């Protein structure tokens, strides 16, 4: 038996099963490698502006090669989860390096030997990986890439060119990155014929961070909440060897004839962007890990923070119901997000197995593209991306608000966590555009009867049933309104995009609710089940409260059910309070990785120890 800080004994089987739910199936040796790699090696240097890049290089050197990690997707998900907890800027750099840049090489490179020099530079940490897809001149630029890679029939090389300033690429490629190799998305032309959008591996900068010949890079564009250098990048007829074309299954034969078994340019774009599945398969794990850590920091702060309100002077902050709903609600949402992250990881692993067997899965045969390519690459994984980043941003923001001023101090980590997931509202596939496309696709389908919603405010099954009923109602309403409207597709959809987004969001929420119900139903240990059942139920009750207007409008819940939600939340908080030690043990990360005073028992002493102090009369 383990003994928790509160003295409650935790059965090893309960802890082991919960660890598997929240961390995934990674072995202890790898997790220790990860811990060591994420502990800052040099405290003063690690706090400089180029720290995320240096920490990324150290991480790459200390962990197994990326191609080995891609054989075990759960390890990549754990890497991104722990990196996000340790340093959001590091996590952003690692997501781009591993999931987008190296992911493109692994998934789209026709022959690893042709890219041997690229893999060696990236897997050794000599070069930082970048990914350049967005062009600055127009919205939805992914659907109309203008950067051109023209095939030269005389040499077999490609000429990469930016036709005008509006086609400049934008990404985290600033001068503090040292040597950088980027995967660039460009429109391939062969003898003047547009052959679709492909990926190319391009050396951008030398070891000093200076652009290489043929590359033009702007000065750094910085974001305060996520300290990475971003820049605009243009290409001036840069010559690329043929081996740098990530041609996938396409080829140009000896007669200069282009062949692509996918046929249509839209399917080629979907296939080129299949690397999005790698990002969306791991980003939910990062969102869940940071949400768990944020909830834990907020809980420990509320437990030890005395209050002086006149109702009960001296009681800890956690005694207040509003604080319990917020802090224990954060635990509940973080747990539900962990369940969804597990399913996203499974879907991505399945797509990687298909890759290994030489099939392309559904990333070249998904939904039609309208506002962006992302939902067409993978409907469920795109939905998980939106749900994960929005849930994490809300949970972290709530934790900040309920920690007062301390929640907004950078040293306590919550502002950096919040900024990271707010950045992913647009990064990695714009959330609004994904939801618009999801809603439009769902409205065109037939939806089976969602079934009855059980009475009362039950457990995870109750919330899953509510989500199914809401999605069904919204889909029916949207389809009906779209049918009634006249005009062309723009005139018919323009007034309905808000409703389409709501339907897309309801679909994502339903997926996550069903994942949570499935995980709780499969729990074997009775002690763990006693903790997770009220935790999952609290997630559903609080989520229903946030969506009360929509649930009433759709006829899913009635006024009496909505009115009873706060009392149900109170009862569930009472059931959870004595079971928190088990959750605390599993939800947190090592102190040396988190390095936040907010979670310490004596917060004010821990905070004071991070500060420099001067006394009047001391020498300057």
């Amino acid at each position: 038996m383990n003994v928790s800080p509160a003295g409650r004994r935790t059965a090893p089987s309960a802890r082991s099963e919960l660890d598997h739910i929240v961390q995934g199936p990674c072995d202890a040796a790898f997790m220790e490698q990860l811990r060591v790699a994420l502990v800052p090696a040099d405290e003063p240097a690690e706090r400089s502006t180029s720290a995320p890049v240096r920490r990324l290089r150290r991480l790459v050197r200390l962990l197994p090669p990326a191609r080995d990690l891609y054989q075990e997707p759960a390890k990549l998900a754990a890497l991104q989860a722990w990196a996000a907890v340790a340093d959001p800027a590091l996590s952003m750099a690692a997501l781009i390096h591993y999931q987008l840049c190296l992911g493109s090489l692994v998934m789209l490179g026709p022959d690893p030997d042709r890219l041997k020099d690229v893999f060696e530079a990236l897997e050794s940490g000599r070069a930082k990986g970048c990914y350049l897809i967005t062009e600055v001149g127009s919205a939805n630029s992914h659907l109309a890439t203008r950067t051109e890679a023209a095939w030269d029939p005389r040499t077999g090389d490609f000429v990469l060119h930016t036709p005008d300033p509006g086609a400049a690429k934008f990404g985290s490629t600033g001068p503090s990155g040292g040597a950088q190799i980027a995967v660039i998305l460009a429109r391939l032309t062969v003898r003047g014929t547009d052959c679709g959008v492909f990926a190319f591996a391009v050396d951008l900068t030398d070891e000093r961070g200076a652009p290489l010949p043929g590359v033009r890079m702007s000065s750094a564009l910085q974001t305060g909440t996520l300290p990475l250098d971003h820049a605009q990048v243009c290409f001036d007829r840069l010559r690329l060897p043929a081996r740098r074309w990530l041609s996938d299954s396409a080829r140009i034969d000896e007669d200069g004839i282009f062949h692509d078994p996918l046929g249509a340019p839209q399917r080629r774009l979907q296939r080129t962007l299949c690397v999005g599945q790698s990002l969306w398969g791991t980003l939910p794990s990062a969102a869940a890990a940071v949400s768990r850590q944020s909830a834990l920091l907020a809980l420990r702060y509320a437990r030890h923070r005395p209050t002086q309100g006149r109702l009960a002077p001296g009681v800890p902050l956690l005694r207040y119901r509003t604080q319990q709903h917020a802090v224990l609600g954060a635990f509940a949402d973080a747990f539900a997000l962990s369940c969804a992250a597990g399913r996203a990881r499974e879907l991505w692993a399945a797509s990687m197995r298909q890759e290994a067997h030489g099939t392309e899965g559904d990333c070249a045969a998904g939904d039609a593209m309208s506002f962006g390519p992302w939902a067409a690459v993978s409907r469920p994984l795109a939905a998980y991306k939106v749900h994960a980043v929005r849930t994490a941003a809300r949970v972290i923001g709530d934790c900040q608000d309920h920690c007062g001023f301390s929640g907004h101090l950078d040293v306590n980590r919550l502002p950096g966590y919040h900024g990271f997931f707010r950045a992913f509202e647009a990064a990695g596939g714009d959330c609004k555009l994904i939801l618009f496309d999801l809603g439009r696709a769902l409205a065109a389908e037939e939806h089976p009867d969602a079934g009855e919603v059980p009475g009362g405010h039950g457990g995870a099954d109750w919330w899953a049933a509510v989500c199914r009923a809401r999605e069904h109602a919204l889909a029916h309403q949207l389809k009906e309104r779209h049918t009634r409207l006249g005009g062309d597709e723009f005139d018919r959809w323009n007034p309905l995009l808000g409703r389409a987004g709501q339907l897309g969001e309801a679909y994502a929420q339903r997926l996550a609710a069903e994942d949570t119900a499935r995980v709780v139903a499969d729990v074997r240990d009775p002690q763990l089940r006693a903790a997770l059942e009220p935790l999952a139920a609290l997630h559903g009750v609080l989520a229903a409260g946030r969506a009360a207007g929509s649930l009433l409008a759709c006829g899913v819940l009635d006024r009496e059910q909505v009115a009873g939600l706060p009392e149900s939340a109170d009862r569930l908080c009472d059931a959870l309070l004595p079971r928190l030690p088990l959750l605390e043990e599993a939800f947190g990360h090592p102190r040396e990785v988190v390095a936040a005073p907010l979670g310490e028992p004596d917060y004010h002493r821990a905070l004071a120890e991070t500060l420099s102090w001067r006394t009047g009369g001391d020498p300057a």
Side-chain angles (χ1 to χ4, degrees), residues 591-611:
R591 176 183 296 179
E592 63 273 21
V593 171
V594 180
L598 189 63
E600 296 299 320
D602 189 343
Y603 164 60
H604 293 290
R605 180 176 180 177
L607 179 63
E609 289 175 352
T610 69
L611 305 174

Side-chain angles (χ1 to χ4, degrees), residues 332 457-460 462-463 516 520 532-542 572:
H457 307 127
W462 173 82
W463 176 236
T516 305
V520 172
L532 295 187
E533 284 180 342
L535 190 67
L538 180 63
H539 163 71
V541 164
L542 294 177
L572 291 166

Side-chain angles (χ1 to χ4, degrees), residues 8 526-532 534 574-584:
R8 186 182 180 93
Q527 184 181 0
L528 181 58
R529 180 181 289 275
L532 295 187
D574 289 339
L576 276 171
L577 284 169
R579 295 180 170 87
L580 283 176
L582 169 59
L583 303 177
E584 287 184 67

